[in-house]
Amino acid sequence: RKEVEQDPGPFNVPEGATVAFNCTYSNSASQSFFWYRQDCRKEPKLLMSVYSSGNEDGRFTAQLNRASQYISLLIRDSKLSDSATYLCVVNSANTGNQFYFGTGTSLTVIP
Amino acid sequence: EAGVAQSPRYKIIEKRQSVAFWCNPISGHATLYWYQQILGQGPKLLIQFQNNGVVDDSQLPKDRFSAERLKGVDSTLKIQPAKLEDSAVYLCASSLRAGNQPQHFGDGTRLSIL
């Protein structure tokens, strides 16, 4: 079983739509969670960390469900500039603090 | 603040040749990572350094890949000899320290093996 699993998509949504991505992780001892954004042929960039109580940054909301071992990313009022691949990242202290990346979910926002 | 610097940006070599990549992390970042990202996949950790020591190299193909960070600052990753399946983007990242600190990535080196 993979450490981190994501639906690869692609998700094609119209501008202004709300879209949500889920990511599941296999290690129940995982401690840190992040969402990264990766544009085509570019490096991953940190979008937001995911806190236990959930957190929001503008149009982006991240949530963590430890019982079901998944994290989610909600994007409201999608913009054309949100088109990218969104990578789920999980870190576990009991595996040497290694970071595990999902394969990414592709989002295209359509005019 | 300067970001993570990597060079070269692109490299094309023939199989069985050798290649080296260089990375200079963000100043003050103790932890440095090398990742391999194959097209359509997420980054896969090859090796993690804490200062000049190796923390994790369990996924590094040690028969052909090597990496060092002798002075605890910049790092080099070498492949010798290269195979066709090594074609990928090699990303370097750094963080203040290991653990729950987010990582900052360089632009990557795009390697093509002919």
Side-chain angles (χ1 to χ4, degrees):
Chain A
R1 184 181 173 186
K2 290 183 180 179
E3 295 283 343
V4 179
E5 297 206 53
Q6 289 184 256
D7 180 350
F11 285 68
N12 299 316
V13 302
E15 267 187 293
T18 295
V19 62
F21 309 134
N22 283 338
C23 164
T24 58
Y25 59 94
S26 60
N27 186 346
S28 59
S30 297
Q31 297 176 311
S32 305
F33 309 89
F34 307 91
W35 283 103
Y36 278 73
R37 171 197 169 124
Q38 187 170 26
D39 293 287
C40 187
R41 302 178 77 84
K42 297 284 190 180
E43 76 278 16
K45 291 186 178 178
L46 178 67
L47 180 64
M48 58 198 303
S49 302
V50 186
Y51 303 121
S52 296
S53 55
N55 47 301
E56 189 174 305
D57 182 2
R59 298 181 294 108
F60 298 84
T61 300
Q63 290 191 315
L64 167 64
N65 185 319
R66 285 192 183 274
S68 300
Q69 293 181 205
Y70 76 83
I71 66 173
S72 63
L73 177 68
L74 181 78
I75 306 175
R76 291 182 299 278
D77 188 21
S78 300
K79 310 290 185 191
L80 295 178
S81 57
D82 294 334
S83 298
T85 295
Y86 291 83
L87 296 161
C88 168
V89 185
V90 174
N91 171 264
S92 303
N94 68 346
T95 55
N97 279 314
Q98 184 171 144
F99 285 78
Y100 294 95
F101 283 74
T103 54
T105 298
S106 173
L107 171 67
T108 300
V109 181
I110 304 165
Chain B
E1 177 184 74
V4 176
Q6 285 189 250
S7 67
R9 286 297 308 277
Y10 304 94
K11 191 72 178 179
I12 301 173
I13 62 172
E14 294 184 347
K15 60 183 180 183
R16 291 188 289 274
Q17 286 187 321
S18 62
V19 64
F21 314 127
W22 174 83
C23 172
N24 192 21
I26 293 173
S27 178
H29 280 197
T31 310
L32 185 148
Y33 311 81
W34 282 103
Y35 288 88
Q36 180 194 60
Q37 187 173 24
I38 292 172
L39 189 64
Q41 299 181 18
K44 183 185 84 170
L45 180 70
L46 293 175
I47 190 167
Q48 176 182 339
F49 291 96
Q50 181 71 18
N51 297 309
N52 61 350
V54 175
V55 173
D56 186 340
D57 63 357
S58 57
Q59 297 191 90
L60 187 74
K62 298 180 186 64
D63 58 333
R64 298 184 301 105
F65 287 63
S66 64
E68 59 184 17
R69 193 185 184 200
L70 293 175
K71 296 182 179 179
V73 180
D74 56 351
S75 174
T76 55
L77 175 70
K78 296 180 182 178
I79 307 175
Q80 182 179 14
K83 291 186 175 181
L84 293 175
E85 60 260 35
D86 298 333
S87 293
V89 177
Y90 291 84
L91 294 161
C92 179
S94 70
S95 62
L96 274 173
R97 56 184 181 275
N100 62 357
Q101 295 294 309
Q103 300 171 48
H104 302 269
F105 285 84
D107 293 335
T109 296
R110 189 171 298 275
L111 176 65
S112 297
I113 311 296
L114 304 178

